[in-house]
């Protein structure tokens, strides 16, 4: 049960982390070339939604799924940003993970109120 819960949470956590970096890259005008879950091995699934995301390639690599990255179109443009903006981009991933963790703790703390266990309605308290 633990592994069945831990693996999807780890994958979601990696996605949220990289999404934090990607959002701040877009905020500072850095175009994103690739948003990838998994490492780029030869067998990959590519998704392109030009209408919404421009030239960004969303990549899922099923061979080795534990890993993720966001790649900029022009790395030199990111290097020319002020250090405070670069720090924002670097810190956005861990901040997104922190917000995700708080959300998870909140949901788990109120789990019984949100989703009561099947036998809880039949209990008689004396």
């Amino acid at each position: 049960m633990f592994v069945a819960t831990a693996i999807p949470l780890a994958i979601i956590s990696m996605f949220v982390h990289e999404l934090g970096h990607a959002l701040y890259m877009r905020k500072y005008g850095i175009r994103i070339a690739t948003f990838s879950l998994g490492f780029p091995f030869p067998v990959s699934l590519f998704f392109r939604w030009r209408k919404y995301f421009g030239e960004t390639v969303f990549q899922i690599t099923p061979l080795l799924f534990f890993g993720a990255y966001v790649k900029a179109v022009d790395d030199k443009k990111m290097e020319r940003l002020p250090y405070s903006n670069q720090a924002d981009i670097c810190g956005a991933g861990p901040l997104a993970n922190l917000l995700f963790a708080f959300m998870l703790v909140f949901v788990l703390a109120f789990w019984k109120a949100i989703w009561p266990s099947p036998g809880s309605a039949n209990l008689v308290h004396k």
Side-chain angles (χ1 to χ4, degrees):
M1 178 71 173
F2 174 75
V3 173
T5 306
I7 290 175
L9 283 176
I11 292 168
I12 292 169
S13 177
M14 284 185 289
F15 174 78
V16 167
H17 180 93
E18 294 306 323
L19 185 63
H21 291 308
L23 290 174
Y24 267 78
M25 287 169 75
R26 296 282 307 237
K27 177 182 175 182
Y28 293 122
I30 306 295
R31 293 183 311 160
I32 301 165
T34 307
F35 187 104
S36 178
L37 285 175
F39 294 105
F41 285 106
V43 178
S44 297
L45 305 171
F46 293 96
F47 301 96
R48 287 182 186 259
W49 295 300
R50 289 189 183 274
K51 182 178 177 183
Y52 301 107
F53 300 106
E55 74 275 358
T56 302
V57 174
F58 293 87
Q59 177 176 316
I60 299 172
T61 307
L63 292 179
L64 183 59
F65 207 72
F66 288 113
Y69 67 93
V70 176
K71 183 177 183 223
V73 171
D74 183 15
D75 290 331
K76 298 291 182 192
K77 186 174 181 182
M78 198 149 102
E79 290 174 6
R80 289 190 300 266
L81 286 174
Y83 288 130
S84 61
N85 294 358
Q86 290 181 26
D88 285 348
I89 292 171
C90 290
L95 179 64
N97 278 117
L98 191 63
L99 293 174
F100 178 65
F102 282 137
M103 182 194 70
L104 218 70
V105 167
F106 178 78
V107 167
L108 291 176
F110 296 103
W111 184 257
K112 290 200 184 263
I114 295 170
W115 193 297
S117 60
S120 64
N122 297 332
L123 294 177
V124 178
H125 297 287
K126 293 183 181 182

mmCIF file of all heavy atoms in Angstrom, residues 53-101:
data_model
loop_
_atom_site.group_PDB
_atom_site.id
_atom_site.type_symbol
_atom_site.label_atom_id
_atom_site.label_comp_id
_atom_site.label_asym_id
_atom_site.label_seq_id
_atom_site.Cartn_x
_atom_site.Cartn_y
_atom_site.Cartn_z
ATOM 1 N N PHE A 53 0.699 26.329 -25.723
ATOM 2 C CA PHE A 53 2.040 26.398 -25.145
ATOM 3 C C PHE A 53 3.128 26.774 -26.139
ATOM 4 O O PHE A 53 4.300 26.693 -25.816
ATOM 5 C CB PHE A 53 2.403 25.047 -24.509
ATOM 6 C CG PHE A 53 1.453 24.649 -23.424
ATOM 7 C CD1 PHE A 53 0.521 23.650 -23.639
ATOM 8 C CD2 PHE A 53 1.480 25.278 -22.196
ATOM 9 C CE1 PHE A 53 -0.373 23.286 -22.646
ATOM 10 C CE2 PHE A 53 0.596 24.915 -21.198
ATOM 11 C CZ PHE A 53 -0.329 23.914 -21.429
ATOM 12 N N GLY A 54 2.776 27.169 -27.344
ATOM 13 C CA GLY A 54 3.795 27.564 -28.311
ATOM 14 C C GLY A 54 4.649 26.396 -28.734
ATOM 15 O O GLY A 54 4.149 25.331 -29.050
ATOM 16 N N GLU A 55 5.956 26.581 -28.710
ATOM 17 C CA GLU A 55 6.873 25.544 -29.193
ATOM 18 C C GLU A 55 7.317 24.569 -28.109
ATOM 19 O O GLU A 55 8.156 23.722 -28.345
ATOM 20 C CB GLU A 55 8.105 26.192 -29.830
ATOM 21 C CG GLU A 55 9.085 26.806 -28.845
ATOM 22 C CD GLU A 55 8.754 28.215 -28.424
ATOM 23 O OE1 GLU A 55 7.775 28.802 -28.898
ATOM 24 O OE2 GLU A 55 9.503 28.752 -27.594
ATOM 25 N N THR A 56 6.751 24.653 -26.923
ATOM 26 C CA THR A 56 7.157 23.780 -25.822
ATOM 27 C C THR A 56 6.803 22.329 -26.117
ATOM 28 O O THR A 56 5.687 22.019 -26.505
ATOM 29 C CB THR A 56 6.481 24.207 -24.510
ATOM 30 O OG1 THR A 56 6.824 25.560 -24.244
ATOM 31 C CG2 THR A 56 6.928 23.337 -23.354
ATOM 32 N N VAL A 57 7.772 21.447 -25.921
ATOM 33 C CA VAL A 57 7.554 20.007 -26.072
ATOM 34 C C VAL A 57 7.351 19.423 -24.685
ATOM 35 O O VAL A 57 8.181 19.594 -23.806
ATOM 36 C CB VAL A 57 8.774 19.331 -26.749
ATOM 37 C CG1 VAL A 57 8.598 17.829 -26.775
ATOM 38 C CG2 VAL A 57 8.986 19.876 -28.133
ATOM 39 N N PHE A 58 6.224 18.748 -24.498
ATOM 40 C CA PHE A 58 5.967 18.030 -23.250
ATOM 41 C C PHE A 58 6.331 16.592 -23.490
ATOM 42 O O PHE A 58 5.795 15.955 -24.396
ATOM 43 C CB PHE A 58 4.498 18.161 -22.842
ATOM 44 C CG PHE A 58 4.134 19.548 -22.460
ATOM 45 C CD1 PHE A 58 3.725 20.459 -23.405
ATOM 46 C CD2 PHE A 58 4.234 19.947 -21.141
ATOM 47 C CE1 PHE A 58 3.404 21.751 -23.058
ATOM 48 C CE2 PHE A 58 3.922 21.242 -20.777
ATOM 49 C CZ PHE A 58 3.504 22.144 -21.737
ATOM 50 N N GLN A 59 7.249 16.083 -22.704
ATOM 51 C CA GLN A 59 7.832 14.772 -22.954
ATOM 52 C C GLN A 59 7.643 13.880 -21.747
ATOM 53 O O GLN A 59 7.890 14.288 -20.621
ATOM 54 C CB GLN A 59 9.316 14.970 -23.256
ATOM 55 C CG GLN A 59 10.109 13.739 -23.474
ATOM 56 C CD GLN A 59 11.523 14.122 -23.858
ATOM 57 O OE1 GLN A 59 11.749 14.998 -24.664
ATOM 58 N NE2 GLN A 59 12.478 13.461 -23.262
ATOM 59 N N ILE A 60 7.196 12.652 -21.986
ATOM 60 C CA ILE A 60 7.101 11.642 -20.934
ATOM 61 C C ILE A 60 7.945 10.463 -21.382
ATOM 62 O O ILE A 60 7.759 9.945 -22.474
ATOM 63 C CB ILE A 60 5.647 11.192 -20.711
ATOM 64 C CG1 ILE A 60 4.788 12.368 -20.282
ATOM 65 C CG2 ILE A 60 5.594 10.079 -19.681
ATOM 66 C CD1 ILE A 60 3.325 12.066 -20.213
ATOM 67 N N THR A 61 8.886 10.077 -20.555
ATOM 68 C CA THR A 61 9.773 8.977 -20.890
ATOM 69 C C THR A 61 9.458 7.793 -19.995
ATOM 70 O O THR A 61 9.728 7.831 -18.798
ATOM 71 C CB THR A 61 11.249 9.396 -20.711
ATOM 72 O OG1 THR A 61 11.453 10.593 -21.450
ATOM 73 C CG2 THR A 61 12.180 8.334 -21.226
ATOM 74 N N PRO A 62 8.864 6.742 -20.545
ATOM 75 C CA PRO A 62 8.439 5.624 -19.701
ATOM 76 C C PRO A 62 9.560 4.711 -19.225
ATOM 77 O O PRO A 62 9.357 3.947 -18.288
ATOM 78 C CB PRO A 62 7.469 4.870 -20.603
ATOM 79 C CG PRO A 62 7.856 5.224 -21.985
ATOM 80 C CD PRO A 62 8.452 6.595 -21.926
ATOM 81 N N LEU A 63 10.752 4.770 -19.830
ATOM 82 C CA LEU A 63 11.805 3.829 -19.442
ATOM 83 C C LEU A 63 12.361 4.098 -18.050
ATOM 84 O O LEU A 63 12.571 3.190 -17.266
ATOM 85 C CB LEU A 63 12.948 3.856 -20.460
ATOM 86 C CG LEU A 63 12.603 3.312 -21.838
ATOM 87 C CD1 LEU A 63 13.813 3.426 -22.755
ATOM 88 C CD2 LEU A 63 12.145 1.875 -21.753
ATOM 89 N N LEU A 64 12.624 5.344 -17.750
ATOM 90 C CA LEU A 64 13.141 5.717 -16.436
ATOM 91 C C LEU A 64 12.353 6.935 -15.980
ATOM 92 O O LEU A 64 12.648 8.053 -16.349
ATOM 93 C CB LEU A 64 14.637 6.042 -16.510
ATOM 94 C CG LEU A 64 15.309 6.376 -15.193
ATOM 95 C CD1 LEU A 64 15.168 5.223 -14.203
ATOM 96 C CD2 LEU A 64 16.771 6.679 -15.404
ATOM 97 N N PHE A 65 11.311 6.699 -15.186
ATOM 98 C CA PHE A 65 10.360 7.751 -14.917
ATOM 99 C C PHE A 65 10.783 8.691 -13.801
ATOM 100 O O PHE A 65 10.284 9.777 -13.706
ATOM 101 C CB PHE A 65 8.995 7.132 -14.588
ATOM 102 C CG PHE A 65 7.880 8.048 -14.930
ATOM 103 C CD1 PHE A 65 7.549 8.279 -16.248
ATOM 104 C CD2 PHE A 65 7.173 8.703 -13.952
ATOM 105 C CE1 PHE A 65 6.515 9.134 -16.579
ATOM 106 C CE2 PHE A 65 6.143 9.558 -14.267
ATOM 107 C CZ PHE A 65 5.816 9.762 -15.595
ATOM 108 N N PHE A 66 11.702 8.290 -12.940
ATOM 109 C CA PHE A 66 12.044 9.147 -11.811
ATOM 110 C C PHE A 66 13.102 10.156 -12.201
ATOM 111 O O PHE A 66 14.290 9.915 -12.125
ATOM 112 C CB PHE A 66 12.491 8.316 -10.610
ATOM 113 C CG PHE A 66 11.346 7.600 -9.981
ATOM 114 C CD1 PHE A 66 11.267 6.232 -10.023
ATOM 115 C CD2 PHE A 66 10.329 8.299 -9.383
ATOM 116 C CE1 PHE A 66 10.203 5.571 -9.470
ATOM 117 C CE2 PHE A 66 9.252 7.661 -8.829
ATOM 118 C CZ PHE A 66 9.192 6.285 -8.871
ATOM 119 N N GLY A 67 12.637 11.285 -12.602
ATOM 120 C CA GLY A 67 13.476 12.397 -12.993
ATOM 121 C C GLY A 67 12.621 13.367 -13.777
ATOM 122 O O GLY A 67 11.582 12.991 -14.318
ATOM 123 N N ALA A 68 13.011 14.607 -13.825
ATOM 124 C CA ALA A 68 12.260 15.609 -14.567
ATOM 125 C C ALA A 68 13.162 16.802 -14.825
ATOM 126 O O ALA A 68 14.138 17.013 -14.107
ATOM 127 C CB ALA A 68 11.019 16.031 -13.782
ATOM 128 N N TYR A 69 12.834 17.560 -15.862
ATOM 129 C CA TYR A 69 13.589 18.780 -16.116
ATOM 130 C C TYR A 69 12.788 19.721 -16.999
ATOM 131 O O TYR A 69 11.849 19.310 -17.681
ATOM 132 C CB TYR A 69 14.951 18.491 -16.755
ATOM 133 C CG TYR A 69 14.886 17.924 -18.151
ATOM 134 C CD1 TYR A 69 14.941 18.764 -19.248
ATOM 135 C CD2 TYR A 69 14.787 16.567 -18.366
ATOM 136 C CE1 TYR A 69 14.890 18.259 -20.533
ATOM 137 C CE2 TYR A 69 14.732 16.045 -19.641
ATOM 138 C CZ TYR A 69 14.789 16.896 -20.723
ATOM 139 O OH TYR A 69 14.716 16.392 -21.995
ATOM 140 N N VAL A 70 13.173 20.991 -16.960
ATOM 141 C CA VAL A 70 12.643 22.022 -17.851
ATOM 142 C C VAL A 70 13.842 22.611 -18.562
ATOM 143 O O VAL A 70 14.823 22.988 -17.928
ATOM 144 C CB VAL A 70 11.897 23.128 -17.067
ATOM 145 C CG1 VAL A 70 11.444 24.228 -18.000
ATOM 146 C CG2 VAL A 70 10.725 22.557 -16.318
ATOM 147 N N LYS A 71 13.768 22.694 -19.891
ATOM 148 C CA LYS A 71 14.888 23.223 -20.667
ATOM 149 C C LYS A 71 14.441 24.488 -21.388
ATOM 150 O O LYS A 71 13.386 24.523 -22.014
ATOM 151 C CB LYS A 71 15.350 22.191 -21.693
ATOM 152 C CG LYS A 71 16.542 22.633 -22.475
ATOM 153 C CD LYS A 71 17.005 21.564 -23.425
ATOM 154 C CE LYS A 71 18.248 22.076 -24.094
ATOM 155 N NZ LYS A 71 18.287 21.816 -25.496
ATOM 156 N N ALA A 72 15.244 25.529 -21.268
ATOM 157 C CA ALA A 72 14.940 26.813 -21.916
ATOM 158 C C ALA A 72 15.360 26.772 -23.379
ATOM 159 O O ALA A 72 16.272 26.042 -23.762
ATOM 160 C CB ALA A 72 15.670 27.941 -21.207
ATOM 161 N N VAL A 73 14.683 27.577 -24.195
ATOM 162 C CA VAL A 73 15.051 27.696 -25.603
ATOM 163 C C VAL A 73 16.412 28.364 -25.716
ATOM 164 O O VAL A 73 17.277 27.919 -26.459
ATOM 165 C CB VAL A 73 13.979 28.505 -26.383
ATOM 166 C CG1 VAL A 73 14.446 28.814 -27.785
ATOM 167 C CG2 VAL A 73 12.665 27.754 -26.410
ATOM 168 N N ASP A 74 16.617 29.427 -24.937
ATOM 169 C CA ASP A 74 17.870 30.187 -24.990
ATOM 170 C C ASP A 74 18.454 30.294 -23.583
ATOM 171 O O ASP A 74 17.996 31.104 -22.778
ATOM 172 C CB ASP A 74 17.595 31.574 -25.575
ATOM 173 C CG ASP A 74 18.858 32.405 -25.744
ATOM 174 O OD1 ASP A 74 19.966 31.829 -25.680
ATOM 175 O OD2 ASP A 74 18.738 33.628 -25.933
ATOM 176 N N ASP A 75 19.455 29.462 -23.288
ATOM 177 C CA ASP A 75 20.081 29.485 -21.962
ATOM 178 C C ASP A 75 20.818 30.798 -21.704
ATOM 179 O O ASP A 75 20.928 31.231 -20.561
ATOM 180 C CB ASP A 75 21.050 28.318 -21.800
ATOM 181 C CG ASP A 75 20.328 26.986 -21.710
ATOM 182 O OD1 ASP A 75 19.170 26.973 -21.236
ATOM 183 O OD2 ASP A 75 20.913 25.958 -22.108
ATOM 184 N N LYS A 76 21.315 31.413 -22.736
ATOM 185 C CA LYS A 76 22.064 32.678 -22.568
ATOM 186 C C LYS A 76 21.142 33.787 -22.057
ATOM 187 O O LYS A 76 21.563 34.631 -21.285
ATOM 188 C CB LYS A 76 22.704 33.111 -23.897
ATOM 189 C CG LYS A 76 23.709 32.133 -24.423
ATOM 190 C CD LYS A 76 24.931 32.101 -23.566
ATOM 191 C CE LYS A 76 25.946 31.142 -24.152
ATOM 192 N NZ LYS A 76 27.020 30.851 -23.253
ATOM 193 N N LYS A 77 19.880 33.769 -22.489
ATOM 194 C CA LYS A 77 18.933 34.787 -22.026
ATOM 195 C C LYS A 77 18.710 34.643 -20.523
ATOM 196 O O LYS A 77 18.579 35.625 -19.810
ATOM 197 C CB LYS A 77 17.612 34.660 -22.776
ATOM 198 C CG LYS A 77 16.634 35.756 -22.455
ATOM 199 C CD LYS A 77 15.403 35.683 -23.328
ATOM 200 C CE LYS A 77 14.465 36.818 -22.992
ATOM 201 N NZ LYS A 77 13.234 36.769 -23.774
ATOM 202 N N MET A 78 18.678 33.414 -20.047
ATOM 203 C CA MET A 78 18.502 33.190 -18.616
ATOM 204 C C MET A 78 19.741 33.649 -17.845
ATOM 205 O O MET A 78 19.620 34.202 -16.757
ATOM 206 C CB MET A 78 18.226 31.711 -18.334
ATOM 207 C CG MET A 78 17.613 31.507 -16.980
ATOM 208 S SD MET A 78 16.533 30.122 -16.915
ATOM 209 C CE MET A 78 17.575 28.950 -16.126
ATOM 210 N N GLU A 79 20.917 33.462 -18.406
ATOM 211 C CA GLU A 79 22.144 33.899 -17.747
ATOM 212 C C GLU A 79 22.236 35.424 -17.674
ATOM 213 O O GLU A 79 22.901 35.958 -16.796
ATOM 214 C CB GLU A 79 23.363 33.341 -18.482
ATOM 215 C CG GLU A 79 23.519 31.840 -18.330
ATOM 216 C CD GLU A 79 24.638 31.296 -19.192
ATOM 217 O OE1 GLU A 79 25.379 32.081 -19.831
ATOM 218 O OE2 GLU A 79 24.764 30.053 -19.231
ATOM 219 N N ARG A 80 21.571 36.120 -18.607
ATOM 220 C CA ARG A 80 21.606 37.591 -18.603
ATOM 221 C C ARG A 80 20.599 38.214 -17.636
ATOM 222 O O ARG A 80 20.629 39.418 -17.411
ATOM 223 C CB ARG A 80 21.357 38.111 -20.017
ATOM 224 C CG ARG A 80 22.517 37.871 -20.968
ATOM 225 C CD ARG A 80 22.326 38.617 -22.264
ATOM 226 N NE ARG A 80 21.120 38.232 -22.984
ATOM 227 C CZ ARG A 80 21.066 37.307 -23.949
ATOM 228 N NH1 ARG A 80 22.161 36.679 -24.310
ATOM 229 N NH2 ARG A 80 19.930 37.042 -24.551
ATOM 230 N N LEU A 81 19.719 37.402 -17.056
ATOM 231 C CA LEU A 81 18.771 37.933 -16.072
ATOM 232 C C LEU A 81 19.515 38.381 -14.818
ATOM 233 O O LEU A 81 20.579 37.842 -14.492
ATOM 234 C CB LEU A 81 17.765 36.844 -15.670
ATOM 235 C CG LEU A 81 16.678 36.469 -16.652
ATOM 236 C CD1 LEU A 81 15.884 35.283 -16.114
ATOM 237 C CD2 LEU A 81 15.762 37.626 -16.925
ATOM 238 N N PRO A 82 18.966 39.341 -14.098
ATOM 239 C CA PRO A 82 19.572 39.707 -12.807
ATOM 240 C C PRO A 82 19.578 38.494 -11.862
ATOM 241 O O PRO A 82 18.732 37.603 -11.962
ATOM 242 C CB PRO A 82 18.638 40.797 -12.270
ATOM 243 C CG PRO A 82 17.886 41.297 -13.443
ATOM 244 C CD PRO A 82 17.811 40.180 -14.420
ATOM 245 N N TYR A 83 20.522 38.496 -10.951
ATOM 246 C CA TYR A 83 20.651 37.360 -10.038
ATOM 247 C C TYR A 83 19.394 37.136 -9.204
ATOM 248 O O TYR A 83 19.054 35.999 -8.883
ATOM 249 C CB TYR A 83 21.860 37.525 -9.123
ATOM 250 C CG TYR A 83 23.170 37.351 -9.830
ATOM 251 C CD1 TYR A 83 24.181 38.285 -9.694
ATOM 252 C CD2 TYR A 83 23.396 36.255 -10.648
ATOM 253 C CE1 TYR A 83 25.391 38.133 -10.347
ATOM 254 C CE2 TYR A 83 24.591 36.088 -11.312
ATOM 255 C CZ TYR A 83 25.585 37.026 -11.156
ATOM 256 O OH TYR A 83 26.765 36.872 -11.807
ATOM 257 N N SER A 84 18.688 38.203 -8.883
ATOM 258 C CA SER A 84 17.466 38.037 -8.092
ATOM 259 C C SER A 84 16.405 37.264 -8.882
ATOM 260 O O SER A 84 15.695 36.422 -8.326
ATOM 261 C CB SER A 84 16.919 39.395 -7.668
ATOM 262 O OG SER A 84 16.594 40.175 -8.795
ATOM 263 N N ASN A 85 16.312 37.518 -10.191
ATOM 264 C CA ASN A 85 15.362 36.777 -11.022
ATOM 265 C C ASN A 85 15.795 35.326 -11.201
ATOM 266 O O ASN A 85 14.965 34.423 -11.219
ATOM 267 C CB ASN A 85 15.192 37.445 -12.380
ATOM 268 C CG ASN A 85 14.542 38.801 -12.291
ATOM 269 O OD1 ASN A 85 14.167 39.258 -11.204
ATOM 270 N ND2 ASN A 85 14.394 39.476 -13.411
ATOM 271 N N GLN A 86 17.099 35.094 -11.338
ATOM 272 C CA GLN A 86 17.604 33.731 -11.432
ATOM 273 C C GLN A 86 17.321 32.964 -10.142
ATOM 274 O O GLN A 86 16.961 31.787 -10.171
ATOM 275 C CB GLN A 86 19.104 33.730 -11.716
ATOM 276 C CG GLN A 86 19.464 34.205 -13.101
ATOM 277 C CD GLN A 86 20.961 34.175 -13.340
ATOM 278 O OE1 GLN A 86 21.700 33.405 -12.733
ATOM 279 N NE2 GLN A 86 21.421 35.022 -14.246
ATOM 280 N N ALA A 87 17.466 33.659 -9.017
ATOM 281 C CA ALA A 87 17.168 33.029 -7.726
ATOM 282 C C ALA A 87 15.689 32.708 -7.610
ATOM 283 O O ALA A 87 15.311 31.667 -7.057
ATOM 284 C CB ALA A 87 17.612 33.933 -6.580
ATOM 285 N N ASP A 88 14.833 33.598 -8.140
ATOM 286 C CA ASP A 88 13.393 33.317 -8.149
ATOM 287 C C ASP A 88 13.095 32.039 -8.927
ATOM 288 O O ASP A 88 12.306 31.203 -8.490
ATOM 289 C CB ASP A 88 12.614 34.475 -8.773
ATOM 290 C CG ASP A 88 12.500 35.672 -7.859
ATOM 291 O OD1 ASP A 88 12.823 35.535 -6.652
ATOM 292 O OD2 ASP A 88 12.087 36.742 -8.345
ATOM 293 N N ILE A 89 13.705 31.903 -10.091
ATOM 294 C CA ILE A 89 13.479 30.714 -10.921
ATOM 295 C C ILE A 89 13.975 29.464 -10.199
ATOM 296 O O ILE A 89 13.289 28.438 -10.168
ATOM 297 C CB ILE A 89 14.158 30.871 -12.294
ATOM 298 C CG1 ILE A 89 13.456 31.967 -13.099
ATOM 299 C CG2 ILE A 89 14.155 29.554 -13.066
ATOM 300 C CD1 ILE A 89 14.164 32.369 -14.370
ATOM 301 N N CYS A 90 15.147 29.552 -9.594
ATOM 302 C CA CYS A 90 15.701 28.386 -8.881
ATOM 303 C C CYS A 90 14.868 28.027 -7.649
ATOM 304 O O CYS A 90 14.690 26.857 -7.338
ATOM 305 C CB CYS A 90 17.141 28.657 -8.470
ATOM 306 S SG CYS A 90 18.274 28.712 -9.856
ATOM 307 N N GLY A 91 14.373 29.030 -6.956
ATOM 308 C CA GLY A 91 13.612 28.773 -5.741
ATOM 309 C C GLY A 91 12.157 28.405 -5.983
ATOM 310 O O GLY A 91 11.476 27.913 -5.080
ATOM 311 N N ALA A 92 11.663 28.625 -7.199
ATOM 312 C CA ALA A 92 10.253 28.349 -7.487
ATOM 313 C C ALA A 92 9.933 26.860 -7.403
ATOM 314 O O ALA A 92 8.837 26.492 -6.994
ATOM 315 C CB ALA A 92 9.886 28.895 -8.862
ATOM 316 N N GLY A 93 10.871 26.000 -7.767
ATOM 317 C CA GLY A 93 10.633 24.552 -7.694
ATOM 318 C C GLY A 93 10.449 24.075 -6.261
ATOM 319 O O GLY A 93 9.430 23.444 -5.939
ATOM 320 N N PRO A 94 11.413 24.353 -5.374
ATOM 321 C CA PRO A 94 11.222 23.963 -3.971
ATOM 322 C C PRO A 94 10.020 24.631 -3.321
ATOM 323 O O PRO A 94 9.334 24.009 -2.511
ATOM 324 C CB PRO A 94 12.522 24.405 -3.294
ATOM 325 C CG PRO A 94 13.528 24.425 -4.382
ATOM 326 C CD PRO A 94 12.780 24.836 -5.615
ATOM 327 N N LEU A 95 9.720 25.875 -3.688
ATOM 328 C CA LEU A 95 8.548 26.544 -3.141
ATOM 329 C C LEU A 95 7.270 25.833 -3.579
ATOM 330 O O LEU A 95 6.347 25.644 -2.778
ATOM 331 C CB LEU A 95 8.514 28.003 -3.579
ATOM 332 C CG LEU A 95 7.316 28.815 -3.087
ATOM 333 C CD1 LEU A 95 7.339 28.911 -1.563
ATOM 334 C CD2 LEU A 95 7.313 30.185 -3.715
ATOM 335 N N ALA A 96 7.206 25.418 -4.832
ATOM 336 C CA ALA A 96 6.044 24.677 -5.320
ATOM 337 C C ALA A 96 5.900 23.353 -4.566
ATOM 338 O O ALA A 96 4.788 22.945 -4.221
ATOM 339 C CB ALA A 96 6.167 24.433 -6.824
ATOM 340 N N ASN A 97 7.025 22.675 -4.294
ATOM 341 C CA ASN A 97 6.976 21.440 -3.511
ATOM 342 C C ASN A 97 6.489 21.697 -2.090
ATOM 343 O O ASN A 97 5.723 20.899 -1.535
ATOM 344 C CB ASN A 97 8.345 20.761 -3.458
ATOM 345 C CG ASN A 97 8.620 19.952 -4.685
ATOM 346 O OD1 ASN A 97 9.561 20.261 -5.404
ATOM 347 N ND2 ASN A 97 7.824 18.947 -4.955
ATOM 348 N N LEU A 98 6.920 22.794 -1.502
ATOM 349 C CA LEU A 98 6.488 23.140 -0.155
ATOM 350 C C LEU A 98 4.981 23.395 -0.115
ATOM 351 O O LEU A 98 4.285 22.904 0.776
ATOM 352 C CB LEU A 98 7.261 24.375 0.332
ATOM 353 C CG LEU A 98 7.130 24.736 1.791
ATOM 354 C CD1 LEU A 98 7.687 23.627 2.666
ATOM 355 C CD2 LEU A 98 7.852 26.031 2.070
ATOM 356 N N LEU A 99 4.472 24.132 -1.091
ATOM 357 C CA LEU A 99 3.034 24.377 -1.165
ATOM 358 C C LEU A 99 2.259 23.079 -1.395
ATOM 359 O O LEU A 99 1.197 22.865 -0.815
ATOM 360 C CB LEU A 99 2.729 25.389 -2.270
ATOM 361 C CG LEU A 99 3.241 26.799 -2.040
ATOM 362 C CD1 LEU A 99 2.997 27.668 -3.267
ATOM 363 C CD2 LEU A 99 2.613 27.412 -0.804
ATOM 364 N N PHE A 100 2.801 22.211 -2.223
ATOM 365 C CA PHE A 100 2.180 20.902 -2.464
ATOM 366 C C PHE A 100 2.153 20.075 -1.177
ATOM 367 O O PHE A 100 1.155 19.432 -0.858
ATOM 368 C CB PHE A 100 2.938 20.158 -3.568
ATOM 369 C CG PHE A 100 2.414 18.781 -3.850
ATOM 370 C CD1 PHE A 100 1.144 18.586 -4.374
ATOM 371 C CD2 PHE A 100 3.201 17.669 -3.598
ATOM 372 C CE1 PHE A 100 0.668 17.311 -4.637
ATOM 373 C CE2 PHE A 100 2.745 16.397 -3.854
ATOM 374 C CZ PHE A 100 1.468 16.216 -4.375
ATOM 375 N N ALA A 101 3.248 20.115 -0.416
ATOM 376 C CA ALA A 101 3.306 19.368 0.846
ATOM 377 C C ALA A 101 2.299 19.915 1.854
ATOM 378 O O ALA A 101 1.614 19.137 2.536
ATOM 379 C CB ALA A 101 4.721 19.424 1.428
#
